[in-house]
């Protein structure tokens, strides 16, 4: 196997939410497959510099704004590649295939119809995930107030919800989860169930979230769910999530939290080192709030996850 090849790639997203992909020349490595535009880093270049140069050369566009999306390491039989992928949502010029490569604007949900190199598959997953991941409080006192509060957060644009209510007070657990699912589905949000297996089987939602114990005891990806995620606390946990074929994970705690005051926080440097070797999108959890989103992106995260940071301290 040859040495490691570092590649900068850009996911250009237009005002309609479509993503630009390009088809590789037939004679190239992975020829005929579709990919996100970009190319190899030159000596002394960082990912952002290479991206700006490659998109100018390949597409004739000048980037105005971009941010890190995901970093992926992948070993092919003949080479190992590291993809430094950026989300680009503003540029100057009309993209065109300056090297004769076919281009296509595709909605993220339709990218699966375009065969891609294996290294690009986690990028597709990342594009389909939001930047914020809301976790509900573990217990509630008033189901009506809980649902009203959830409605307000959905109105604010939250689109990925981990339902983690273990004590529903006087409310029936099945009825409450069904109400949450209806509201989220109406808002275009995905519910990730983090509840007892029996309850998960009785209420169909788009996703299932595994706690660390469930993750480490599993030997296959749970079936019947569109998305499956897991709670991780180490690189070994992330490796297990990848081995099971899960879609994404949370890594925690990044910073000190009131809910787990005795836990040893990872800190951003350690978080970044662990996530740098991940092959699936990873959310930062622990002490998160909206003001830390840019820091999370710089550290390699898909985004941030939290309870108090989004839900607040209100007892419901």
């Amino acid at each position: 196997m040859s040495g490691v090849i570092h590649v900068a790639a850009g996911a250009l997203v237009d005002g309609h939410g479509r993503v630009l992909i390009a088809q590789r020349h037939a004679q190239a490595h992975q020829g005929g497959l579709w990919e996100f535009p970009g190319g190899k880093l030159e000596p002394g270049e960082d990912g952002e510099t290479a991206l700006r140069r490659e998109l100018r050369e390949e597409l004739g566009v000048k980037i105005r704004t971009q941010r890190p999306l995901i970093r992926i390491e992948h070993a092919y039989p003949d080479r190992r590649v590291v993809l430094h992928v950026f989300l680009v949502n503003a540029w100057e010029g009309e993209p065109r295939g300056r090297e004769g490569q076919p281009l296509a604007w595709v909605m993220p949900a339709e990218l699966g119809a375009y065969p891609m190199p294996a290294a690009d598959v986690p990028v597709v997953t990342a594009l389909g995930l939001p930047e914020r991941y809301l976790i509900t409080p573990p217990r509630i006192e008033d189901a009506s107030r809980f649902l009203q509060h959830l409605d307000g957060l959905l109105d604010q644009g939250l689109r990925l919800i981990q339902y983690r209510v273990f004590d529903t007070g006087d409310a029936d657990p099945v009825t409450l989860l069904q109400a949450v699912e209806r509201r989220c589905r109406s808002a275009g949000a995905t519910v990730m169930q983090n509840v007892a297996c029996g309850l998960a089987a009785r209420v169909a939602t788009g996703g299932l979230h595994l706690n660390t114990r469930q993750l480490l005891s599993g030997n296959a990806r749970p079936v019947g769910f569109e998305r499956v995620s897991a709670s991780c606390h180490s690189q070994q946990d992330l490796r297990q999530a990848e081995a099971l074929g899960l879609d994404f994970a949370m890594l925690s705690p990044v910073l000190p939290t009131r809910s787990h005051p005795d836990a040893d926080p990872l800190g951003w440097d350690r978080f970044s080192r662990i996530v740098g070797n991940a092959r699936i999108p990873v959310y930062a959890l622990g002490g998160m709030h909206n003001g830390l989103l840019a820091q999370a992106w710089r550290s390699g995260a898909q985004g941030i996850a939290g309870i108090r940071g989004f839900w607040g301290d209100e007892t419901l």
Side-chain angles (χ1 to χ4, degrees), residues 129-130 133-136 146-147 150 154 158-165 176-195 199-200 203-210 224-229 248:
L129 291 171
Y133 186 10
L134 167 69
I135 305 171
T136 66
F146 171 83
L147 292 172
L150 176 62
L154 292 171
L158 285 160
R159 291 295 178 263
L160 187 61
I161 315 296
Q162 183 184 138
Y163 182 81
R164 187 177 173 270
V165 181
L176 181 60
L177 180 51
Q178 289 173 335
V180 169
E181 166 61 17
R182 286 195 301 271
R183 282 165 160 77
C184 290
R185 185 170 59 247
S186 178
T190 297
V191 177
M192 305 294 294
Q193 294 190 48
N194 181 356
V195 293
L199 181 57
V203 182
T205 65
L208 178 70
H209 182 83
L210 306 176
F225 296 93
E226 180 180 334
R227 288 176 174 165
V228 183
S229 62
F248 62 96

Side-chain angles (χ1 to χ4, degrees), residues 137-148:
R139 62 179 301 271
I140 66 172
E141 297 178 357
D142 187 313
S144 295
R145 291 179 58 213
F146 171 83
L147 292 172
Q148 289 173 3

Side-chain angles (χ1 to χ4, degrees), residues 197-221:
C197 293
L199 181 57
R202 295 170 64 187
V203 182
T205 65
L208 178 70
H209 182 83
L210 306 176
N211 60 36
T212 307
R213 178 184 56 77
Q214 292 169 325
L215 168 69
L216 297 180
S217 64
N219 54 22
R221 176 190 169 105

Side-chain angles (χ1 to χ4, degrees), residues 59-288:
L59 304 177
V61 300
K62 180 180 179 181
I63 296 175
R64 290 176 53 196
T65 61
Q66 85 294 317
R67 68 161 176 87
L69 178 64
I70 192 170
R71 178 181 181 275
I72 294 295
E73 294 187 18
H74 186 83
Y76 292 104
D78 59 340
R79 67 189 66 185
R80 176 179 289 275
V81 298
V82 178
L83 297 183
H84 305 262
V85 187
F86 295 82
L87 183 68
V88 181
N89 50 30
W91 59 87
E92 297 176 9
E94 184 66 28
R96 62 187 188 279
R98 300 183 71 187
E99 299 173 354
Q101 71 275 33
L103 303 179
W105 287 99
V106 183
M107 293 301 294
E110 299 170 355
L111 286 170
Y114 293 78
M116 289 186 168
D120 288 71
V121 174
V123 184
V124 175
T125 302
L127 285 168
L129 291 171
E131 61 196 31
R132 296 180 296 164
Y133 186 10
L134 167 69
I135 305 171
T136 66
R139 62 179 301 271
I140 66 172
E141 297 178 357
D142 187 313
S144 295
R145 291 179 58 213
F146 171 83
L147 292 172
Q148 289 173 3
H149 197 67
L150 176 62
D151 286 340
L153 294 171
L154 292 171
D155 288 342
Q156 293 174 25
L158 285 160
R159 291 295 178 263
L160 187 61
I161 315 296
Q162 183 184 138
Y163 182 81
R164 187 177 173 270
V165 181
F166 303 122
D167 182 354
T168 61
D170 294 332
D172 175 67
V174 172
T175 301
L176 181 60
L177 180 51
Q178 289 173 335
V180 169
E181 166 61 17
R182 286 195 301 271
R183 282 165 160 77
C184 290
R185 185 170 59 247
S186 178
T190 297
V191 177
M192 305 294 294
Q193 294 190 48
N194 181 356
V195 293
C197 293
L199 181 57
R202 295 170 64 187
V203 182
T205 65
L208 178 70
H209 182 83
L210 306 176
N211 60 36
T212 307
R213 178 184 56 77
Q214 292 169 325
L215 168 69
L216 297 180
S217 64
N219 54 22
R221 176 190 169 105
V223 298
F225 296 93
E226 180 180 334
R227 288 176 174 165
V228 183
S229 62
S231 294
C232 298
H233 304 291
S234 67
Q235 185 167 321
Q236 291 72 25
D237 294 348
L238 279 174
R239 286 287 178 264
Q240 171 70 355
E242 294 164 358
L244 295 183
L246 304 193
D247 299 292
F248 62 96
M250 300 187 308
L251 181 62
S252 69
V254 180
L255 301 177
T257 66
R258 282 187 284 170
S259 57
H260 297 85
D262 298 328
D264 179 24
L266 297 167
W268 286 115
D269 288 345
R270 196 164 147 208
F271 175 90
S272 181
R273 288 196 299 272
I274 294 174
V275 172
N277 294 317
R279 295 189 291 272
I280 57 176
V282 180
Y283 285 91
L285 173 65
M288 295 297 105

